Amino acid sequence: MTDVTTDRPPALYVPSAEALATVLAPGARPPRPTALSASLTFGWRAMLKIKHVPEQLFDVTAFPIIMVLMFTYLFGGALAGSPREYLQFFLPGIMVTSVVMITMYTGVGLNTDIEKGVFDRFRTLPIWRPAALVGMILGDVLRYVLGALVILGVGLVLGFRPGGGLLGVLAGIGLLVIFSFAFSWVWTFFGLVLRSEKSVMGVSMMVLFPLTFLSNVFVNPVTMPGWLQAFVKANPITHLVASVRAVMAGSSDTTNLMWVLLWSAGFLVVFGTLTMRRYNRR
């Protein structure tokens, strides 16, 4: 384009040094987000993914309902004399099983983001580096709470009556969420190490099925062979189920509670450290 009066091209605008200094001044940049705000932002991202893909909630809604109904009416009469009696024993255990099983989706979701290249973009942002990982797990905490509440609601409809009342129920769900948060770091590590989401899911199921089924979820371990009882007693799921049962019934089990907290701290320290080392070296 030319100047119609002089037939000469217009002069280019060259900003002054003062203008450049104003634009590039450090004070003009937005403040760097804190570790907490960055983690909460990524947690919100995880919840938005559920909003846009509501099918993800199938494993915390329909699946637990099917499990409660099937085991209560299929085995309740044979194991406890009546489905209602069995439900009092069984419901805290199936709540633990269902919530612990969905912790694997933390690793699956992380591996999917890595394959799509999303995490490479996150690593270039000027934020606290673990924020993306911590935020993803914080978002999954909502799934844990929702799954526990769905199972509790179905149990109350079927006749489950917690002796510990509201406080006992809240304490039981709190213990379950604390353990699940720590346990999900195991799958976060596998999500970084393994090559595909199918591999993460396969390894997770190989670990979770023995832990949940070879425990005190469905029956009292005293009826098991001695060698199997030794595994069941050392199983962290056994300690968690016993603790949740106790607080929901209005009593306390100090030994199992201590083991739950120790297992949670161990998972968090060991696999949290391994995860961050792997994440920083990618």
Side-chain angles (χ1 to χ4, degrees):
M1 182 176 180
T2 60
D3 191 328
V4 295
T5 59
T6 62
D7 293 330
R8 290 181 299 178
L12 295 176
Y13 170 71
V14 179
S16 63
E18 292 78 5
L20 285 174
T22 302
V23 173
L24 300 178
R29 298 178 182 177
R32 182 171 179 170
T34 63
L36 177 60
S37 63
S39 300
L40 292 177
T41 299
F42 281 103
W44 180 246
R45 171 182 177 263
M47 288 188 284
L48 287 178
K49 290 170 66 176
I50 296 176
K51 174 185 175 182
H52 294 293
V53 189
E55 294 84 5
Q56 297 182 40
L57 293 180
F58 177 82
D59 56 344
V60 297
T61 53
F63 179 71
I65 293 174
I66 294 172
M67 290 285 286
V68 172
L69 293 175
M70 182 176 66
F71 279 94
T72 299
Y73 291 104
L74 190 61
F75 300 115
L79 296 176
S82 71
R84 189 185 182 97
E85 289 297 323
Y86 183 62
L87 186 65
Q88 294 297 124
F89 171 85
F90 169 68
L91 189 124
I94 197 61
M95 178 186 294
V96 169
T97 298
S98 298
V99 174
V100 169
M101 290 284 282
I102 64 177
T103 58
M104 69 176 178
Y105 289 105
T106 301
V108 173
L110 172 60
N111 189 273
T112 301
D113 281 346
I114 292 173
E115 286 188 344
K116 292 180 177 179
V118 177
F119 257 72
D120 290 334
R121 173 56 180 153
F122 291 160
R123 285 162 57 88
T124 65
L125 297 176
I127 58 174
W128 184 51
R129 295 201 71 179
L133 299 176
V134 176
M136 178 178 291
I137 297 176
L138 288 177
D140 284 341
V141 168
L142 175 65
R143 297 160 65 92
Y144 306 154
V145 174
L146 182 59
L149 291 178
V150 168
I151 295 175
L152 178 64
V154 175
L156 292 174
V157 171
L158 297 179
F160 175 72
R161 296 296 179 264
L166 179 61
L167 291 179
V169 169
L170 292 177
I173 294 177
L175 276 176
L176 178 55
V177 169
I178 290 172
F179 180 88
S180 299
F181 175 83
F183 195 53
S184 60
W185 283 98
V186 177
W187 314 125
T188 303
F189 174 69
F190 281 115
L192 290 171
V193 173
L194 299 178
R195 296 184 178 181
S196 67
E197 60 179 289
K198 291 183 180 178
S199 300
V200 178
M201 187 170 293
V203 171
S204 303
M205 297 302 288
M206 238 173 26
V207 174
L208 285 171
F209 264 95
L211 285 179
T212 52
F213 282 87
L214 300 181
S215 67
N216 59 347
V217 171
F218 303 99
V219 295
N220 194 319
V222 297
T223 61
M224 301 178 184
W227 61 269
L228 186 55
Q229 286 189 39
F231 175 84
V232 171
K233 290 179 180 179
N235 188 345
I237 302 300
T238 298
H239 302 308
L240 179 59
V241 171
S243 298
V244 173
R245 276 198 184 117
V247 295
M248 283 192 170
S251 60
S252 61
D253 190 335
T254 306
T255 302
N256 282 307
L257 177 60
M258 180 191 68
W259 276 111
V260 170
L261 297 178
L262 288 176
W263 276 112
S264 300
F267 287 134
L268 190 58
V269 171
V270 174
F271 286 95
T273 303
L274 292 174
T275 297
M276 293 316 306
R277 284 185 177 179
R278 181 70 180 183
Y279 179 64
N280 289 328
R281 292 178 180 178
R282 285 188 65 89

